[in-house]
Amino acid sequence: MKKLISYINNNVLVKITSLQIASVLTRIVAGLLTSKAIAVFIGAEGLALIGNLRNFVSSFQTIAILGFYNGAVKYISDFKDDVVELSKTLSTVFYVGFVSTILVSFFCYFNAENINNVIFPSYSNYAYVIKVFAIVLPFYALNMFSFSIMNGFSKYKILIIINIIGQILSVSIALLLIYLEELKGALLSVVIAESLIFLITLVGITNRRSLVPLIKVNNVSFNFLKKMSSYSIMALFSAVILPLVAIVIRSYIIEAEGYKDAGFWEAITRISKYYLMFVSSLLALYILPRFSEIDNTKEFKKEVFSFYKTVIPILVIGLCLIYLLRSFIVTIVFTDEFQPVEDLFLWQLLGDFVKVLSMVIAYQFLAKKMFWHYIITEAFLVVVLYITSIYFIKLYGVKGAVIGHFTSYVMYYGVILLIFGSSLFGVEREKD
């Protein structure tokens, strides 16, 4: 534990940890307020529709920017003192991302009716919401491009402050729209929230105006695009496929059990997302950079088990408290209408526990750019998640979705342990 705290103090805390905690807390509070407003003014059925739209928006935002964000941050950071290479990086990310975003916007705008039929099955026509999303999508892309520049130049403080202000702005607009227009307002808030942050980002990026002359069409580099491809594909795969599978599962629940039960499943996944934000932030801040530094099996094994010994007991206590307080949590976050959600906690919490266990080890894929290992294991997870969820929903109704969540992550964790078994459990031979 001392080593973990020391590492964070020396390598992370000075830069961003305190502000990052504030950012995570702001996101959680914003999410809780929005969830409460949806529960009060719209109800469980509306929550199911909003869940489908959120998953669609998340997937297509990532497709629009081609999953460039993480790769862009890395290469901007690497080349920030090399004007020629920096120009290639900025030009390629900007222009290729611009073309991609415009194509995705046109696709969404002119196929709004078809998209509506997929994400809002057997419900009112909300094609106009998809068209609004298509119109504001370029602003989201510009926002992410600006974020990648600030992140690459290590402007952590201003970046997180923008995120905090953006969250406050987004939740304020969402609450106002939900109050005035109920479901229509909630759906509109989902598609415009991320794009609105660009207005704030413009202020933060003004001190980087000197970079504008470096963004030139003739500096677009296909060699650089090739180097970005592995980051792009990994980001696209997880950020696009998992939300789309969630839409399929939720749509199946709607068809088999009804909108209300689908809303209950969306409620438990939202609660899960809120408490897992702390864990995912810690993994991103500590595990990913730490694994990137490690260059031998012994240290990797030591780090994994050290993290398990120090953090997992705290996680277990936290999950147990959440389970014991589930009735109170459902009432506070939602309304009495959502009381059936209490029956979904056990399997969701068990699944999240195994998910964290597997994530700790799986970060090695990203740290060491183990491209095919990452793609194959993520594909395995997606397929198993879909099959088990549908199978158990047929047997147990909406509870089957959380049983499928648990089962799929147990199987995924098994695959991760098989891949890293020799590294984690192999006996080290003594040198003669």
Side-chain angles (χ1 to χ4, degrees), residues 168-409:
I168 294 171
L169 175 65
S170 296
V171 74
S172 301
I173 292 172
L175 293 175
L176 179 63
L177 287 172
I178 292 168
Y179 176 74
L180 295 175
E181 296 290 336
E182 296 185 341
L183 180 56
K184 291 179 182 178
L187 295 174
L188 283 172
S189 71
V190 170
V191 299
I192 67 173
E194 296 280 352
S195 301
L196 282 174
I197 299 176
F198 180 62
L199 299 174
I200 305 165
T201 308
L202 273 176
V203 178
I205 202 70
T206 49
N207 64 338
R208 292 289 155 188
R209 289 192 300 270
S210 59
L211 297 176
V212 174
L214 299 180
I215 304 173
K216 302 175 182 177
V217 176
N218 58 354
N219 279 350
V220 173
S221 169
F222 289 99
N223 286 331
F224 173 76
L225 201 58
K226 189 176 179 181
K227 285 197 293 185
M228 284 275 288
S229 62
S230 59
Y231 289 98
S232 179
I233 294 170
M234 285 193 289
L236 282 168
F237 197 89
S238 56
V240 172
I241 302 299
L242 281 173
L244 292 181
V245 169
I247 290 176
V248 174
I249 294 171
R250 195 180 293 105
S251 297
Y252 184 82
I253 297 173
I254 291 170
E255 184 181 333
E257 305 295 327
Y259 274 96
K260 186 163 282 192
D261 278 11
F264 295 152
W265 183 60
E266 173 65 15
I268 192 65
T269 56
R270 278 185 173 231
I271 293 171
S272 168
K273 183 180 74 173
Y274 298 148
Y275 61 71
L276 284 180
M277 278 186 193
F278 289 106
V279 182
S280 57
S281 296
L282 180 59
L283 290 174
L285 287 170
Y286 176 73
I287 286 293
L288 185 57
R290 184 72 186 105
F291 280 3
S292 298
E293 294 174 355
I294 292 171
D295 57 4
N296 63 76
T297 301
K298 183 179 179 181
E299 282 297 310
F300 170 68
K301 175 181 178 179
K302 183 179 177 182
E303 206 60 55
V304 169
F305 285 109
S306 174
F307 193 89
Y308 276 0
K309 289 176 184 176
T310 55
V311 176
I312 297 305
I314 299 171
L315 176 66
V316 170
I317 294 170
L319 294 178
C320 288
L321 284 173
I322 290 170
Y323 181 75
L324 293 172
L325 298 172
R326 64 192 182 281
S327 179
F328 176 76
I329 291 170
V330 170
T331 304
I332 292 296
V333 179
F334 300 103
T335 61
D336 291 337
E337 179 192 2
F338 288 80
Q339 184 271 332
V341 175
E342 292 177 31
D343 295 334
L344 307 181
F345 268 79
L346 178 61
W347 292 105
Q348 183 69 41
L349 293 171
L350 289 173
D352 288 341
F353 174 68
V354 181
K355 180 180 179 178
V356 173
L357 291 178
S358 60
M359 281 171 62
V360 172
I361 303 172
Y363 258 86
Q364 182 76 334
F365 294 147
L366 298 175
K368 302 304 181 187
K369 286 186 68 175
M370 299 169 67
F371 177 79
W372 284 111
H373 286 83
Y374 179 85
I375 294 297
I376 291 170
T377 53
E378 286 291 304
F380 173 80
L381 174 62
V382 166
V383 171
V384 171
L385 180 61
Y386 171 75
I387 292 173
T388 57
S389 296
I390 300 301
Y391 174 75
F392 286 118
I393 290 168
K394 288 178 181 178
L395 293 178
Y396 305 110
V398 66
K399 185 182 283 189
V402 286
I403 296 174
H405 168 71
F406 169 71
T407 306
S408 59
Y409 273 102

Side-chain angles (χ1 to χ4, degrees), residues 89-100:
T89 302
L90 295 174
S91 301
T92 305
V93 171
F94 179 81
Y95 283 107
V96 175
F98 174 78
V99 171
S100 172

Side-chain angles (χ1 to χ4, degrees), residues 428-432:
E428 296 175 26
R429 296 180 179 177
E430 294 183 5
K431 295 182 180 180
D432 295 331

Side-chain angles (χ1 to χ4, degrees), residues 12-27 155-165 281 285:
V12 180
L13 189 58
V14 173
K15 296 178 181 177
I16 54 171
T17 300
S18 57
L19 274 173
Q20 181 70 6
I21 290 171
S23 178
V24 170
L25 287 173
T26 305
R27 287 171 62 193
K155 299 297 179 182
Y156 302 114
K157 187 175 180 179
I158 185 65
L159 188 64
I160 296 173
I161 289 172
I162 288 171
N163 265 315
I164 293 172
I165 297 172
S281 296
L285 287 170

